[in-house]
Amino acid sequence: MDETSRHWFCIRSRPKQEHIAAAYLRQWEDVEVFCPRIRFRRATRSGAAWVTEALFPGYFFARFEPRASLCLVRSGRGVSGIVRFGTKYPLVAEATIAQLRESVGREEMETVSPVLEIGDGAMIAGGAFHGLQCVVHRLLPARQRVAVLLEMLGQTMLVELNLRDLLPPRNHPLAA
């Protein structure tokens, strides 16, 4: 197939089905798929847990020749449609895809670990203090622990916790 006739398009998936739609389209030889994802920690009822979501929720990218594969892509499992403006399907620049690929790597996944520093506010996402706000007092990286100041019953206490049980505060861009 002539590479110049293949272009990148933005594909809209059904809610939370980016990975399903991308996997379906990857089956086809004439369709190249790029579905960047992000992996991060989120508070759950049982403590902090790693979750993986689409970098662009509801969207991913596919490269194909429109005349040959438009119907196939549009009707793919998990696909809601192809982004368009009226009757025009905008192309995604090769440079944009290359830049995104460079940032997420070959696995198409960016892992984001919140970096806490002394004095930072944080939320406890596990154990007896789950859901409480605290302030980082001391980092103990060799033991993957952190000492935090916690206000409880009108007093400030110094508590040592697992680093994995701390999340950035709710207003932090990495907090869910």
Side-chain angles (χ1 to χ4, degrees):
M1 176 177 289
D2 179 19
E3 287 298 311
T4 59
S5 63
R6 292 173 33 138
H7 302 285
W8 285 102
F9 296 90
C10 184
I11 310 301
R12 188 174 47 254
S13 73
R14 293 190 176 119
K16 305 269 187 198
Q17 291 190 16
E18 302 87 0
H19 62 292
I20 293 169
Y24 177 79
L25 293 179
R26 280 190 174 109
Q27 296 176 38
W28 304 103
E29 191 176 299
D30 296 340
V31 180
E32 182 180 351
V33 175
F34 177 57
C35 184
R37 296 170 297 156
I38 186 168
R39 186 172 184 261
F40 58 96
R41 288 180 42 220
R42 173 181 284 162
T44 66
R45 291 180 194 169
S46 59
W50 285 98
V51 296
T52 302
E53 292 183 357
L55 183 60
F56 305 107
Y59 299 91
F60 64 99
F61 306 97
R63 184 176 184 222
F64 56 91
E65 199 281 309
R67 278 184 263 140
S69 303
L70 188 67
C71 289
L72 169 84
V73 172
R74 201 174 29 212
S75 63
R77 183 179 306 132
V79 172
S80 175
I82 302 171
V83 173
R84 67 182 184 168
F85 301 110
T87 59
K88 301 251 186 217
Y89 294 98
L91 305 179
V92 179
E94 248 339 296
T96 301
I97 299 296
Q99 191 174 26
L100 282 168
R101 277 195 161 144
E102 186 177 315
S103 72
V104 297
R106 287 181 39 174
E107 298 298 313
E108 295 185 0
M109 185 169 331
E110 174 78 21
T111 299
V112 180
S113 298
V115 179
L116 294 171
E117 296 183 14
I118 295 172
D120 284 352
M123 183 178 76
I124 302 172
F129 303 116
H130 178 80
L132 296 178
Q133 298 293 322
C134 63
V135 176
V136 177
H137 178 69
R138 185 176 55 222
L139 299 170
L140 309 164
R143 295 173 35 210
Q144 290 293 301
R145 296 187 67 77
V146 61
V148 297
L149 294 173
L150 181 66
E151 198 159 314
M152 199 163 149
L153 301 173
Q155 294 192 356
T156 302
M157 301 170 41
L158 184 64
V159 179
E160 195 174 299
L161 301 168
N162 268 322
L163 185 58
R164 64 178 162 76
D165 288 336
L166 282 185
L167 293 173
R170 289 189 192 276
N171 60 352
H172 190 281
L174 296 180

